[in-house]
Amino acid sequence: MEGVTTMEALRPIDLLNNARNKRVIVELKNGKQFIGQLKAFDIHINIVLESAEERFDGEIKRKIGKVFLRGDTIILISPE
Amino acid sequence: MEGVTTMEALRPIDLLNNARNKRVIVELKNGKQFIGQLKAFDIHINIVLESAEERFDGEIKRKIGKVFLRGDTIILISPE
Amino acid sequence: MEGVTTMEALRPIDLLNNARNKRVIVELKNGKQFIGQLKAFDIHINIVLESAEERFDGEIKRKIGKVFLRGDTIILISPE
Amino acid sequence: MEGVTTMEALRPIDLLNNARNKRVIVELKNGKQFIGQLKAFDIHINIVLESAEERFDGEIKRKIGKVFLRGDTIILISPE
Amino acid sequence: MEGVTTMEALRPIDLLNNARNKRVIVELKNGKQFIGQLKAFDIHINIVLESAEERFDGEIKRKIGKVFLRGDTIILISPE
Amino acid sequence: MEGVTTMEALRPIDLLNNARNKRVIVELKNGKQFIGQLKAFDIHINIVLESAEERFDGEIKRKIGKVFLRGDTIILISPE
Amino acid sequence: MEGVTTMEALRPIDLLNNARNKRVIVELKNGKQFIGQLKAFDIHINIVLESAEERFDGEIKRKIGKVFLRGDTIILISPE
């Protein structure tokens, strides 16, 4: 049983599972950053953030509430 | 039953399901924005907007009515 | 029966089905526009236009008759 | 019988089938044009032209005889 | 038995297996470098680093703790 | 029998089959040209050239002997 | 028997098989070169080099030991 848990802990998707409902920073290929509560993701790394805001060079550009981000534009996801 | 609903609520595609027939903002890789009523989408995130208009830097560029947007050009989709 | 019809109406490909034999505007990733009668399309969004002309910044650049456009170069398709 | 024919006529690949052994213009993502006799194509839109020449801005750059063009570099194919 | 081990040693993914829990340098297509402890990876080369920091031209730009890096943005991974 | 042969002659991959062991010009997306004897290829259009040299704007840049070229960087292949 | 061997000799992956444990030059889409001993590769052309060094315009930039290079960034691989 423990072995199974350990195996599962080794997949990148587990970081996203553990970050669910927590605030994460998402960086896109075009240089934009989105910070928000991670509500959902899938195997393509499409994700949904809630209470999200967009930042550029550390500054808040705008608040956008709920947002769907397409996986192939994402560089990284990091718990805040 | 509730468990199933909860599971489904965790997929990014559910944000799109909940936004159906509502106005959404769509941002493309080339910097363009389209705002319109979300009528349809598929797993490639190809989408159809109705009563759509194109914006660039917040300004309306043109009204285009019904439009099919190819998924691989989309960065984000957000309910207005 | 009606349910099935409704379901089908929710797919992006249905916009293309409804636009068949009508004039559509197609925008490509390189900024070019093609306007023509939509004769065919497939799941890759490869399309064929007839009586097509190419425009750039709203101006007609040339008439090209029948043209096959590869799906992965397409940003949007909109009924004229 | 007629229905089947009609169905087939609706696929983009049929334009290519009808253009086989005829001269076509092929435009690539890098701006180059190739004109030649369409000898072969596959579902990736890889194509082979014979008696081909390369053009740029309408001018003949060189004659290259037989050429294999990889599908993912192609924007459009049009009967001359 | 030895033969099987040898076979497995020939797959690129084995380098990543051997580097698990060790510090690695990851270079992205946008020129950024991330250094951290390799905690997880999958067949898409999506990876998770812990105790990570971002560098650019050899200089530390910021510490980011735990980070998920999407595989298609990665150029190389090298044990430090 | 003849029909089968004819069918096969219509696939782009057949041009490559006929060019095997002959000298071909390969152009890449980055503008480089490689000329060499075509020894191998696969469905991804990954190819191997022997006695190859690199050219840029028609000039020989270097001789590189045997080289594996990844298919997704290739624009065209033409018998010399 | 000989026929089978001949067939196998015609696949691009065989060049890589023959180069295993030998020094190869790898060129990436971003212009960087890596030279090292080829230890492993897979069908995506992900590769592992040992005793590797990075070069740019022919000059050694740094020694990096063992390195995993993601296949989709690779243009060519050539035995030194």
Side-chain angles (χ1 to χ4, degrees):
Chain A
M1 256 30 168
E2 207 180 294
V4 172
T5 309
T6 307
M7 281 300 286
E8 283 173 357
L10 299 175
R11 297 174 310 161
I13 212 90
D14 292 310
L15 173 67
L16 302 187
N17 260 322
N18 294 336
R20 206 188 285 265
N21 293 316
K22 295 180 189 148
R23 284 183 75 76
V24 296
I25 301 172
V26 181
E27 290 191 9
L28 305 190
K29 289 179 183 169
N30 65 1
K32 289 184 179 176
Q33 282 189 326
F34 290 87
I35 290 94
Q37 197 182 359
L38 181 65
K39 296 309 286 185
F41 57 87
D42 61 24
I43 54 162
H44 307 292
I45 320 302
N46 295 321
I47 66 172
V48 168
L49 300 181
E50 264 185 21
S51 311
E53 60 193 37
E54 182 187 334
R55 292 188 205 165
F56 195 84
D57 277 333
E59 273 176 66
I60 296 175
K61 302 292 282 186
R62 59 170 171 163
K63 294 181 180 290
I64 49 169
K66 205 174 271 197
V67 66
F68 172 101
L69 294 166
R70 206 165 175 277
D72 85 329
T73 68
I74 293 175
I75 289 179
L76 68 84
I77 304 167
S78 180
E80 208 184 20
Chain B
M1 256 32 169
E2 207 181 293
V4 172
T5 310
T6 307
M7 280 300 287
E8 284 174 356
L10 299 174
R11 297 174 311 161
I13 213 90
D14 292 310
L15 173 67
L16 302 187
N17 259 322
N18 294 336
R20 207 188 285 266
N21 293 316
K22 295 179 190 149
R23 284 183 75 78
V24 295
I25 301 172
V26 181
E27 290 191 9
L28 305 190
K29 288 180 183 170
N30 65 2
K32 290 184 179 177
Q33 281 189 326
F34 290 87
I35 289 93
Q37 196 182 359
L38 181 64
K39 296 309 286 184
F41 57 87
D42 61 24
I43 55 163
H44 308 292
I45 320 302
N46 295 321
I47 66 172
V48 168
L49 300 182
E50 264 185 22
S51 310
E53 60 193 36
E54 183 186 334
R55 292 189 205 165
F56 196 84
D57 276 333
E59 274 176 67
I60 296 176
K61 303 292 283 186
R62 59 169 171 164
K63 293 181 181 289
I64 48 169
K66 206 174 271 197
V67 66
F68 172 101
L69 293 166
R70 206 165 175 276
D72 85 328
T73 68
I74 293 175
I75 289 179
L76 68 84
I77 303 167
S78 180
E80 208 184 21
Chain C
M1 254 31 169
E2 205 180 296
V4 172
T5 310
T6 307
M7 279 300 286
E8 284 173 356
L10 300 174
R11 298 174 310 162
I13 213 90
D14 292 311
L15 172 68
L16 302 187
N17 259 323
N18 294 336
R20 206 189 286 266
N21 293 315
K22 295 180 189 148
R23 284 182 76 76
V24 296
I25 301 171
V26 181
E27 289 191 9
L28 305 190
K29 289 179 183 171
N30 65 2
K32 290 184 178 177
Q33 281 189 326
F34 290 87
I35 289 93
Q37 196 182 359
L38 181 65
K39 296 308 285 184
F41 57 87
D42 62 23
I43 55 162
H44 307 292
I45 321 300
N46 295 321
I47 67 172
V48 169
L49 300 181
E50 263 185 22
S51 311
E53 60 193 36
E54 183 187 333
R55 291 188 206 166
F56 196 84
D57 276 333
E59 273 176 66
I60 295 176
K61 302 292 282 187
R62 59 171 171 161
K63 293 182 181 288
I64 48 168
K66 206 174 272 198
V67 66
F68 172 101
L69 294 166
R70 204 166 176 276
D72 85 328
T73 68
I74 293 174
I75 289 180
L76 68 84
I77 303 168
S78 180
E80 208 183 22
Chain D
M1 255 32 168
E2 206 180 294
V4 172
T5 310
T6 307
M7 279 301 286
E8 283 173 358
L10 299 175
R11 298 175 311 161
I13 212 89
D14 292 311
L15 172 68
L16 302 187
N17 259 322
N18 294 336
R20 207 190 284 266
N21 293 316
K22 296 181 188 147
R23 285 183 74 76
V24 296
I25 301 171
V26 181
E27 289 192 9
L28 305 190
K29 289 179 183 170
N30 65 3
K32 290 184 179 176
Q33 281 189 327
F34 290 88
I35 289 93
Q37 196 181 0
L38 181 64
K39 297 307 286 184
F41 57 87
D42 62 24
I43 54 163
H44 307 292
I45 319 300
N46 296 321
I47 67 172
V48 168
L49 300 182
E50 263 186 21
S51 311
E53 60 194 35
E54 183 187 335
R55 292 189 204 165
F56 196 83
D57 275 334
E59 273 176 67
I60 296 176
K61 302 292 282 185
R62 59 171 170 162
K63 293 181 181 288
I64 49 168
K66 205 173 270 198
V67 65
F68 172 101
L69 293 167
R70 205 166 176 276
D72 85 328
T73 69
I74 292 174
I75 289 180
L76 68 84
I77 303 168
S78 180
E80 207 182 21
Chain E
M1 256 31 169
E2 207 180 293
V4 172
T5 310
T6 307
M7 280 301 286
E8 283 174 357
L10 299 175
R11 297 174 311 161
I13 212 90
D14 292 310
L15 172 68
L16 302 187
N17 259 323
N18 294 337
R20 207 188 284 266
N21 293 316
K22 295 179 189 148
R23 284 182 75 76
V24 297
I25 300 172
V26 181
E27 289 191 10
L28 305 190
K29 289 180 182 168
N30 65 2
K32 290 185 178 175
Q33 282 189 325
F34 290 87
I35 290 92
Q37 196 183 357
L38 182 64
K39 297 308 286 184
F41 58 87
D42 62 24
I43 54 163
H44 307 292
I45 320 301
N46 295 321
I47 67 172
V48 169
L49 300 181
E50 264 185 22
S51 310
E53 60 193 37
E54 182 187 334
R55 292 188 205 164
F56 196 85
D57 276 333
E59 273 177 66
I60 296 175
K61 302 292 283 186
R62 58 170 172 164
K63 294 181 180 289
I64 49 168
K66 205 174 271 196
V67 66
F68 172 101
L69 294 166
R70 205 165 177 276
D72 84 329
T73 68
I74 292 175
I75 289 179
L76 69 84
I77 304 168
S78 180
E80 208 184 19
Chain F
M1 254 33 168
E2 207 180 293
V4 172
T5 309
T6 307
M7 279 301 286
E8 282 172 357
L10 299 175
R11 297 173 312 160
I13 212 90
D14 292 311
L15 172 69
L16 302 187
N17 260 323
N18 294 336
R20 208 189 284 267
N21 293 316
K22 295 180 189 149
R23 285 182 75 76
V24 296
I25 301 172
V26 181
E27 291 192 8
L28 305 190
K29 289 179 183 170
N30 66 2
K32 290 184 178 176
Q33 281 189 327
F34 290 88
I35 290 93
Q37 196 182 359
L38 181 64
K39 297 307 286 185
F41 57 87
D42 62 24
I43 54 163
H44 307 293
I45 320 300
N46 295 320
I47 67 171
V48 169
L49 300 181
E50 264 185 22
S51 311
E53 60 193 37
E54 182 187 335
R55 291 189 205 165
F56 195 84
D57 276 334
E59 275 177 64
I60 296 175
K61 302 292 282 185
R62 59 171 171 162
K63 293 182 181 288
I64 49 168
K66 205 174 271 197
V67 65
F68 172 102
L69 294 166
R70 203 164 178 278
D72 85 328
T73 68
I74 292 175
I75 289 180
L76 67 84
I77 303 167
S78 180
E80 207 183 20
Chain G
M1 255 32 168
E2 206 180 294
V4 172
T5 309
T6 307
M7 281 300 287
E8 283 173 357
L10 298 175
R11 297 173 312 160
I13 212 90
D14 292 310
L15 172 69
L16 302 187
N17 259 323
N18 294 336
R20 208 189 284 267
N21 293 316
K22 294 179 190 149
R23 285 183 75 77
V24 296
I25 301 172
V26 181
E27 290 192 8
L28 305 190
K29 289 180 183 170
N30 65 2
K32 290 184 178 176
Q33 282 189 325
F34 290 87
I35 289 93
Q37 196 182 358
L38 182 64
K39 297 308 286 184
F41 57 87
D42 61 24
I43 53 162
H44 307 293
I45 320 301
N46 295 321
I47 66 171
V48 169
L49 300 181
E50 264 186 21
S51 312
E53 60 193 37
E54 182 187 334
R55 290 189 205 165
F56 196 84
D57 275 333
E59 275 177 64
I60 297 175
K61 302 292 283 185
R62 58 170 173 164
K63 293 181 181 288
I64 48 168
K66 205 174 272 197
V67 66
F68 172 101
L69 294 166
R70 204 165 177 276
D72 85 328
T73 69
I74 292 174
I75 289 180
L76 69 84
I77 303 168
S78 180
E80 208 184 20

